[in-house]
Amino acid sequence: MTNFYRVRPTPPAVPWHHRLPGIVWIVCLLSVFLSNNLLAEHVHQAAPVIELDLKDASLKMAIREIERQTDYHFVVNDSRLKTIKKNVTISIRSENIEEILALVLEGTNITYKIKKKQITLIPPPAELHISPLTTTGGGSSAMLVQARKDLIFTGILRQDIVVKGVVREETGEPLPGVSVLVKGSSIGTTTDANGEFSLNVPSGESILVFSFIGFTTQEVAVNNQTSLNVTLLADTQTLTEVVVVGYGTQEKKDVTGSISAIKGSDIENLPSGGAQQALQGRMAGVNIVRSGGAPGNAGSIRIRGIGTVGYADPLIVVDGVPTSSTMNDINPNDIQSIDVLKDASASAIYGTRAANGVVLVTTKRGKFDDKLKFTVNAYTGISNRIKTIDVLDAPTLTALKHEAYTNDGLTIPDIWNNTQYQTQKTNWQNEVFKQGTTNNIDLSLRGGGKYSSFAISGGKYDERGIIGKAYYKRYTLRINTDHKVSERLKIGQSLQFTNTHDNAPNTLSAQDGLLWSAIRFHPGLPVRKANGEYSSSLPGFGDINNPVYTIDTQDKDNTRNRILGSATGEYQVIEGLKVKANLALDATFADFRQFEVKIDSQYRQSNYNQLTISNDKNWSFLQEYFISYDKQFGAHAIGFVGGYTSQTYKDIYSKEVGRDFPSEDPSMRYMSQAATVVNLGADNGGRVYTALQSWFGRATYSYKDRYLLTATYRADGSSRFRNGLRWGYFPAFSLGWRVSEEAFFESALPI
């Protein structure tokens, strides 16, 4: 458990950063207001200027530089691109993307097609070289087909079938550059700019394999057809996968630390109480440890085991805001990706709080120049126990008790000779376990115009447990917006509201826990007596209360309201150099209420009834300012991010306990009705104020996309420690070698 220090400072003048909540809300409201203009007509804005200064750079490196400076995304068969040996030397500054492409692709015979922000490169079709052969048998002629210098096969000359067709995506748009290959051979071609292809296949029984980056590979049998229409489905896996690494992103192949990532689509619509539960079994080295099965039980995240003593939870960062709360407050259907930083090199950028790893959650956002999309996701389900503990029935239990007392030479107590308790009356596990239900519905609206984009979503999750009165309800609302104020300035905001209600019954105690009671309570006792009262254990049967009585008299509720909001601004100073600011508020208001009745009809009794009320209000204010710089110099690529961050925490909590209520009627269960208010001393309440101040930096270097270096440094100053011992320093570095980019490796293995 985290230790807190109570402070009673003299109230100082309010510094400006204490007014951050107001600043955050003003920016959030302004950002939402700007979203209302998405459908309005905008004035023309100049296209971004592309500036290339490359010398003897590879074609692949030139394409990456264009992607980095613009919103365009290239789609191309990467293996085909490697076979085109071209060094690009160019120095140009232009707004015309077609002019840039003409110079970069000059002399390659590569054509292209631009669709919105996607540029599809179409390499020239592979040439088929045919040379005569002489065989030793039958005098029949044969042919040698060499589609590439490293792929050669022989076969008997036969009558080919010409197959023509068109390849389209799901929207009906033609797909250029799709690879069309006869399965089991090297005979193939690619589709042209209109998605059309023509191929000589050796047999009407041949199978054609259609593959394209960003789409799932599809096999189609020819079946003696001469015309085919093929539709490829989009694939969630792309050639260039980007992961969040803390204060920025990197291509996954350039990451030298240990990072695991999953996409939001992997956990959508899973019947789980939250994103934290949905992570179980989906990442190597990441485990979710749950202490019980109550609805909404988030469990604890453990990354590569337990890293520290006492508190082993990782730092959770939601849309760039470090929090100490659970991920279950986030609707899984709102998540775009989850990245987990597992080793020191990857997580050092977050300093002292990253000792147990870091979980980076990125939520879904709208896209610029995108159509409005309205989605509804809903599901319902039931849950039942799949197994119970085998226990003795009443007759067998009585027989074994008799045998035990006899073997010990003891007199059998009268209670075990009473025949009314030797008949099976109740299976207590069946009485405790019932059928649970789960209901979920999510609504989302996403879209964007030329200058603004938005994502609005709401959801309700309602789970009823398999033990009576166990439940978990969650209501979520999220608003994310982004705006291009000018060519260089961008602003955005994220706003999340979560309301949860839950009741988790006591199932862990070996004395009065419901599961333990259901296993031990005597099976010869009924749930209720003939007069309608709950049955009770008797001396000799164990000091256990009737578990059904415990469930029915339970009155408990835990309510949490959480607001997580952030506002960001990014300004591009010069090409590659950006300045960014991030202001955020994370506030949680928790209220707990439990009424315990006076127990005088059960074996384990309580001499008084009691009401416990507690509330906890905590706020976290974040301000971050940092710069980032990325630049490519020929075969060299460098990157840097560094800045300052501070986060303050305030926690106000209180607790009240009242006893001896004259009436246990639900309408009278209020603290004002208590005859006695218990003095809890220091536990009655208090206030805690702490702060964290940090400087951080990360530098990356890459040479020819082969040799990689990452160096990270962070300094943390915490108010939890006394003067002179408040600062800790966390350096880290890692090296990488991408062997697959070496010339000797390209021909070593068929990758």
Side-chain angles (χ1 to χ4, degrees):
M1 181 179 291
T2 305
N3 295 320
F4 295 102
Y5 296 87
R6 291 191 177 86
V7 294
R8 295 185 176 86
T10 302
V14 180
W16 73 270
H17 62 271
H18 284 191
R19 294 191 291 271
L20 277 176
I23 298 174
V24 171
W25 286 113
I26 290 172
V27 175
C28 288
L29 291 175
L30 176 61
S31 194
V32 173
F33 171 76
L34 290 174
S35 297
N36 294 330
N37 297 322
L38 282 173
L39 303 179
E41 196 70 35
H42 295 288
V43 296
H44 174 74
Q45 183 182 32
V49 176
I50 307 172
E51 184 175 357
L52 295 182
D53 187 10
L54 304 174
K55 184 177 181 180
D56 292 330
S58 66
L59 183 58
K60 188 175 180 180
M61 192 175 297
I63 290 174
R64 282 190 187 165
E65 182 64 18
I66 296 174
E67 284 186 322
R68 189 183 66 80
Q69 295 188 29
T70 68
D71 294 331
Y72 287 105
H73 173 69
F74 283 82
V75 176
V76 62
N77 187 318
D78 189 69
S79 61
R80 294 283 302 279
L81 193 63
K82 285 184 178 180
T83 64
I84 299 175
K85 303 299 182 182
K86 174 180 172 60
N87 292 330
V88 179
T89 300
I90 184 175
S91 180
I92 187 174
R93 176 184 172 89
S94 174
E95 298 178 359
N96 191 327
I97 183 64
E98 295 185 356
E99 179 185 2
I100 298 290
L101 291 175
L103 293 174
V104 170
L105 302 176
E106 184 179 7
T108 64
N109 292 327
I110 296 177
T111 57
Y112 63 87
K113 182 177 181 180
I114 301 177
K115 179 183 176 183
K116 293 184 178 180
K117 293 299 182 180
Q118 177 177 297
I119 301 176
T120 303
L121 298 184
I122 309 170
E127 297 181 359
L128 300 181
H129 304 285
I130 303 177
S131 55
L133 289 178
T134 301
T135 63
T136 58
S140 60
S141 62
M143 66 178 181
L144 171 67
V145 180
Q146 182 176 342
R148 297 200 309 260
K149 64 180 181 180
D150 56 339
L151 291 175
I152 301 175
F153 78 94
T154 61
I156 303 299
L157 187 64
R158 69 196 72 188
Q159 183 67 39
D160 289 347
I161 298 176
V162 179
V163 178
K164 298 181 180 181
V166 180
V167 182
R168 293 182 172 88
E169 56 181 306
E170 292 177 274
T171 60
E173 292 291 325
L175 277 176
V178 177
S179 173
V180 185
L181 187 69
V182 177
K183 188 175 182 179
S185 75
S186 61
I187 302 174
T189 185
T190 57
T191 58
D192 60 18
N194 297 317
E196 299 176 352
F197 70 93
S198 178
L199 181 65
N200 294 338
V201 299
S203 168
E205 303 301 322
S206 299
I207 296 177
L208 299 184
V209 180
F210 296 83
S211 60
F212 191 57
I213 299 300
F215 293 81
T216 56
T217 299
Q218 186 172 338
E219 296 185 359
V220 178
V222 175
N223 291 332
N224 294 313
Q225 300 178 82
T226 59
S227 179
L228 294 175
N229 290 316
V230 180
T231 301
L232 294 186
L233 303 178
D235 191 358
T236 56
Q237 299 295 326
T238 57
L239 177 65
T240 304
E241 185 175 356
V242 176
V243 295
V244 182
V245 293
Y247 303 102
T249 60
Q250 281 184 282
E251 290 187 14
K252 191 172 184 179
K253 62 183 182 58
D254 292 336
V255 175
T256 55
S258 179
I259 297 178
S260 291
I262 64 170
K263 297 182 181 297
S265 57
D266 296 333
I267 60 175
E268 281 183 345
N269 293 324
L270 288 180
S272 62
Q276 198 151 306
Q277 296 178 21
L279 281 182
Q280 181 63 55
R282 297 183 177 275
M283 291 184 178
V286 179
N287 295 313
I288 308 300
V289 182
R290 299 182 67 185
S291 58
N297 186 315
S300 300
I301 302 176
R302 295 292 178 263
I303 300 175
R304 292 184 173 179
I306 298 177
T308 57
V309 178
Y311 186 80
D313 290 346
L315 175 68
I316 297 176
V317 182
V318 181
D319 287 334
V321 182
T323 74
S324 58
S325 186
T326 172
M327 285 172 55
N328 268 21
D329 288 340
I330 306 172
N331 186 341
N333 287 343
D334 286 342
I335 294 177
Q336 179 69 31
S337 65
I338 300 177
D339 302 82
V340 178
L341 313 183
K342 297 189 288 188
D343 68 352
S345 172
S347 60
I349 192 86
Y350 285 103
T352 180
R353 294 176 294 179
N356 297 298
V358 181
V359 179
L360 304 173
V361 181
T362 303
T363 60
K364 295 177 180 178
R365 313 189 75 85
K367 298 179 180 179
F368 294 103
D369 294 320
D370 196 14
K371 296 179 181 179
L372 288 177
K373 296 179 182 178
F374 178 73
T375 59
V376 179
N377 294 309
Y379 64 82
T380 185
I382 60 174
S383 55
N384 290 286
R385 71 175 193 273
I386 59 175
K387 184 180 179 181
T388 56
I389 304 298
D390 292 332
V391 295
L392 300 175
D393 58 17
T396 307
L397 177 61
T398 301
L400 288 178
K401 280 291 186 179
H402 282 196
E403 184 179 339
Y405 282 113
T406 301
N407 291 341
D408 291 340
L410 301 175
T411 302
I412 299 176
D414 293 339
I415 191 70
W416 290 105
N417 286 321
N418 193 327
T419 57
Q420 69 171 317
Y421 303 123
Q422 297 177 13
T423 302
Q424 178 71 18
K425 294 185 177 67
T426 308
N427 184 321
W428 290 101
Q429 293 181 75
N430 288 344
E431 295 297 328
V432 169
F433 293 117
K434 303 298 181 181
Q435 180 174 276
T437 60
T438 302
N439 295 286
N440 182 80
I441 184 169
D442 298 297
L443 308 174
S444 67
L445 181 65
R446 298 185 180 91
K450 189 174 183 179
Y451 300 96
S452 297
S453 66
F454 71 95
I456 302 174
S457 63
K460 176 186 177 182
Y461 178 86
D462 186 353
E463 181 181 0
R464 301 285 172 170
I466 60 175
I467 294 180
K469 293 191 176 182
Y471 64 87
Y472 174 74
K473 293 182 180 180
R474 182 187 66 228
Y475 301 88
T476 59
L477 173 66
R478 175 173 293 278
I479 303 174
N480 291 348
T481 63
D482 295 285
H483 311 280
K484 295 179 180 178
V485 180
S486 68
E487 182 180 340
R488 295 180 179 271
L489 178 61
K490 299 178 182 179
I491 62 173
Q493 62 82 216
S494 300
L495 179 62
Q496 169 193 318
F497 172 75
T498 307
N499 170 263
T500 62
H501 300 265
D502 69 85
N503 174 29
N506 179 5
T507 58
L508 303 179
S509 173
Q511 296 297 323
D512 55 2
L514 288 175
L515 298 183
W516 190 242
S517 298
I519 294 171
R520 294 180 59 202
F521 208 72
H522 198 289
L525 294 170
V527 176
R528 291 178 182 266
K529 302 175 185 178
N531 61 4
E533 295 181 356
Y534 292 95
S535 66
S536 173
S537 185
L538 300 170
F541 286 171
D543 57 341
I544 313 164
N545 286 353
N546 185 330
V548 178
Y549 169 86
T550 302
I551 293 174
D552 290 347
T553 58
Q554 183 178 241
D555 181 8
K556 182 170 64 172
D557 180 72
N558 186 32
T559 302
R560 294 178 70 251
N561 291 291
R562 184 186 182 192
I563 299 173
L564 177 61
S566 65
T568 62
E570 180 182 279
Y571 184 78
Q572 181 176 303
V573 182
I574 58 174
E575 184 63 39
L577 178 62
K578 298 178 181 179
V579 179
K580 188 172 183 179
N582 183 28
L583 305 178
L585 164 69
D586 186 5
T588 301
F589 308 94
D591 295 291
F592 174 80
R593 177 191 173 281
Q594 181 177 17
F595 187 87
E596 301 167 88
V597 300
K598 181 179 180 180
I599 304 175
D600 53 15
S601 61
Q602 294 292 307
Y603 195 90
R604 297 177 65 88
Q605 298 186 352
S606 173
N607 296 326
Y608 51 81
N609 48 36
Q610 176 174 290
L611 175 64
T612 303
I613 296 177
S614 66
N615 64 74
D616 189 0
K617 302 176 182 178
N618 62 75
W619 298 267
S620 170
F621 306 109
L622 171 74
Q623 51 180 327
E624 294 178 331
Y625 311 97
F626 56 95
I627 62 173
S628 64
Y629 182 70
D630 294 283
K631 189 67 175 177
Q632 183 122 17
F633 303 93
H636 306 272
I638 62 171
F640 173 78
V641 60
Y644 165 84
T645 176
S646 71
Q647 196 163 7
T648 59
Y649 305 87
K650 181 186 290 185
D651 186 15
I652 300 175
Y653 60 94
S654 63
K655 182 178 181 180
E656 290 183 283
V657 175
R659 294 175 179 169
D660 303 322
F661 288 76
S663 172
E664 293 185 347
D665 186 274
S667 63
M668 303 296 290
R669 296 179 179 182
Y670 295 96
M671 193 61 67
S672 60
Q673 301 298 315
T676 304
V677 177
V678 181
N679 184 1
L680 302 176
D683 289 335
N684 269 123
R687 181 176 65 177
V688 176
Y689 179 84
T690 59
L692 182 70
Q693 181 175 270
S694 309
W695 297 89
F696 62 89
R698 179 181 61 234
T700 60
Y701 172 75
S702 169
Y703 178 66
K704 291 187 175 180
D705 276 339
R706 301 176 190 172
Y707 314 109
L708 312 171
L709 167 67
T710 301
T712 307
Y713 187 81
R714 177 159 176 144
D716 279 341
S718 174
S719 65
R720 296 178 185 272
F721 302 98
R722 67 179 177 84
N723 290 331
L725 297 175
R726 288 185 170 176
W727 286 89
Y729 306 95
F730 306 91
F733 77 93
S734 58
L735 302 173
W737 177 29
R738 191 177 299 117
V739 185
S740 60
E741 294 295 323
E742 295 289 354
F744 69 83
F745 192 79
E746 291 186 8
S747 58
L749 293 172
I751 294 180

